[in-house]
Amino acid sequence: LDDEFAKDVSEFDTLKELKADIKKKITEERTKAAQNAFEDALMQKVADGFAEGCRIFEEAVPKMSSERRTEAERELALFRGEQLHFQSTANQMRFTLARDRRRTARTADGRLRLTGEMEESVRRELATTKALLPIAERDSRVGFTPSVRYYFVPQDLREKGLLCRMLLEELKRPCKSDP
């Protein structure tokens, strides 16, 4: 490998420049992958924390006076809705990361493993959607997402469930890049 090789295969004039560019791209990819993994783990930790908080609150509700219990049950449903919202975000992040890695997987085994990760994310999202639907049907506050100024209604969750099922069927088919 020499400077002539670098000129033939890239826009660089020297092998040193080509190597530096390759190293830079690898470093950027690894940094992005680490950041994505961190964000994914963080969102899952938030969802798990909300789940634990809901569990604790759920244990406290029966111990409340009857006049406070009704409002507490309503608030618990709202908190459960938020926990499911965070879980949904984590599911979607995990799916997207696996999908993006599958696009560049070099082996059929790698693509198969990542397809399995995508399927598991979709299954979790379907379960999350099923759990969120009755909460959203009872309390319209659950459907408001202020960070994106979006309001979803129970019908949106039903459609999401159908799309999850369709996606699971699609993921059963072989990847286009598989032999």
Side-chain angles (χ1 to χ4, degrees), residues 51-71:
E52 178 63 12
C54 287
R55 186 192 63 73
I56 292 167
F57 193 10
E58 202 168 54
E59 290 176 1
V61 169
K63 299 172 186 169
M64 295 179 180
S65 65
S66 59
E67 60 268 0
R68 294 186 70 205
R69 191 174 306 134
T70 301
E71 182 60 26

Side-chain angles (χ1 to χ4, degrees), residues 2-18:
D2 58 13
D3 291 344
E4 287 304 314
F5 172 79
K7 288 177 188 176
D8 291 342
V9 300
S10 72
E11 71 271 14
F12 298 103
D13 292 328
T14 67
L15 186 60
K16 183 178 180 179
E17 291 172 329
L18 176 59

Side-chain angles (χ1 to χ4, degrees), residues 86-148:
F86 287 121
Q87 184 60 59
S88 177
T89 302
N91 295 340
Q92 292 173 41
M93 287 176 72
R94 197 161 291 121
F95 175 89
T96 302
L97 292 172
R99 181 202 61 202
D100 291 350
R101 288 192 327 265
R102 186 177 79 164
R103 286 181 181 151
T104 59
R106 294 187 178 132
T107 66
D109 286 344
R111 287 187 295 278
L112 186 61
R113 180 183 55 76
L114 291 164
T115 298
E117 287 181 27
M118 292 166 63
E119 288 175 347
E120 181 57 28
S121 295
V122 174
R123 280 190 205 92
R124 288 181 67 147
E125 184 60 14
L126 183 56
T128 300
T129 300
K130 286 178 179 179
L132 186 55
L133 179 59
I135 297 169
E137 288 174 329
R138 285 190 305 270
D139 190 340
S140 63
R141 296 177 298 168
V142 172
F144 181 62
T145 307
S147 62
V148 291

Side-chain angles (χ1 to χ4, degrees), residues 76-90:
L76 176 60
L78 183 63
F79 296 154
R80 179 80 58 208
E82 289 305 308
Q83 182 267 323
L84 292 166
H85 172 75
F86 287 121
Q87 184 60 59
S88 177
T89 302

